[in-house]
Amino acid sequence: MDNFIKFFSFSEPNVRFVVIGMILMGIGTAAIGTFAFLRKRSLTGDAVAHSVLPGICLAFLIFNSKDLWILLGGAFVTGWISLAFIDWITRSTKLKSDTAIALTLSVFFGIGIMLLTFIQQTGDASQSGLNNFLLGKAAAMSPSDIETMAIVSIIILAVLFIFFKEFTLLSFDPDFAKTSGLPVVFLEITLTTLTVLAVASGIQSVGVVLMAAMLITPAAAARYWTDDLKKMLALSMLFAVIGGIAGAYVSFVNNKMPTGPWIVTVVSLFALLSILFAPHKGAIPKIFLRKKHSRKVVYENVLKVMYHIQESEQKETAVTASAIQQKRQMATADIRNGIKNLLHKNLIVEMQEGYRMTAFGLTEAKRIVRLHRLWEMYLTQQLNIASDHVHDDAEAVEHIITPEMEKRLIEILGFPEKDPHDKEIPYA
């Protein structure tokens, strides 16, 4: 508890530097990473992250300085060269983009490791700490590093704000962006430049190996929670910031724990929880939704059979479970569960001689039968499918047609009174 209070009081300068640095890094990388994720450039970010290492080493060898802006300059140059290399391989050879990315990543990272090893063996005392760029060392941040990160993050956010509409269109529909006259090449170069800048500025915190995760993982987690780009950007930055603070806290409590890997671990945990539990898109909610839909299909089919029996007898009648099974081949357990759900929803009532639809149940039964017969009409009239081949498709679609689709179907078909089998379409 003492460590918790001590950390979140931000009384120690080093804690303030690390936390502010992690927040700035998280905001910048998550923001531009969201667009990289939407443009399906996740692997490209990984390649850039690994390709900046030789740039850092070359900048140090040329200028003999560990000034962050000089090292960032070297990282920026090799990051851009790696992207040009990927583009050249893709355009000039028969290799696919994933192969080009893997090849570029391994070549540049191998050169980076070779240069780093060479520098370490020169005996130059000033090279001390250069290997921190490999796995990151957030705890070594200085005020000038914070200033650099702040400038980079402000540049990224400012450019994203200015070209937000253009970047959005480019990310979701690049073909339309091109035909609508947008300067697609300029926009792509700008986004790529910002990506390289974000990677270069963040490597000191989490290292080249883990930087790709910081670029893509927050966006991947946020995508599970919303389809709104602005909300996705906000969530992505929030996950990255929380991961940054949590990683810094773990490292503060136990100085043997590296900050960068813990940041990535926490952000990855957000992604895992999102994949499992995010409403609508998470794996577990999807399981419940599928079960709910299966139950709906079963009880709607039972209700539809009851309507068919009543329709054939042309009078209100009570229907037994055995009569339903004779009319339609359904498992006994499904009929039993369907009746149970219909009773629970007050769509039918139990009587001495069987089950009878309530007024609400009759309305619902007419809706299901109407959708079935409308869809059969659509398939025969609009798609020229033979009437004896449309039943199964209509069986599958009748349970998912929305009121808006139903209205549109009726308009397209011109309010038909009978289906392809000359059966009446019940409207009310």
Side-chain angles (χ1 to χ4, degrees), residues 91-215:
R91 282 189 293 103
S92 308
T93 70
K94 293 182 179 180
L95 296 176
K96 301 293 183 184
S97 60
D98 58 338
T99 308
I101 290 170
L103 186 65
T104 305
L105 184 153
S106 54
V107 168
F108 277 74
F109 191 56
I111 294 172
I113 293 294
M114 182 187 69
L115 290 173
L116 185 60
T117 306
F118 170 75
I119 292 170
Q120 288 174 331
Q121 291 179 349
T122 58
D124 186 349
S126 62
Q127 59 83 30
S128 174
L130 203 61
N131 60 337
N132 288 335
F133 284 94
L134 201 58
L135 293 175
K137 191 171 183 181
M141 278 188 181
S142 65
S144 63
D145 297 334
I146 303 297
E147 186 180 316
T148 303
M149 283 190 167
I151 292 171
V152 170
S153 295
I154 289 171
I155 291 172
I156 291 173
L157 293 179
V159 176
L160 290 180
F161 178 77
I162 293 169
F163 296 106
F164 182 76
K165 287 183 180 177
E166 291 81 357
F167 288 153
T168 302
L169 186 57
L170 182 66
S171 300
F172 286 102
D173 197 340
D175 292 333
F176 181 72
K178 193 177 294 182
T179 55
S180 62
L182 285 179
V184 171
V185 175
F186 167 75
L187 293 172
E188 286 185 341
I189 290 174
T190 305
L191 273 177
T192 304
T193 302
L194 292 179
T195 304
V196 175
L197 197 60
V199 170
S201 66
I203 52 176
Q204 191 184 24
S205 306
V206 296
V208 296
V209 178
L210 302 175
M211 194 57 217
M214 283 306 297
L215 199 66

Side-chain angles (χ1 to χ4, degrees), residues 283-295:
I284 292 176
K286 274 186 176 179
I287 292 172
F288 285 107
L289 282 174
R290 277 197 292 271
K291 286 186 176 180
K292 184 180 177 182
H293 180 69
S294 297
R295 284 197 300 271

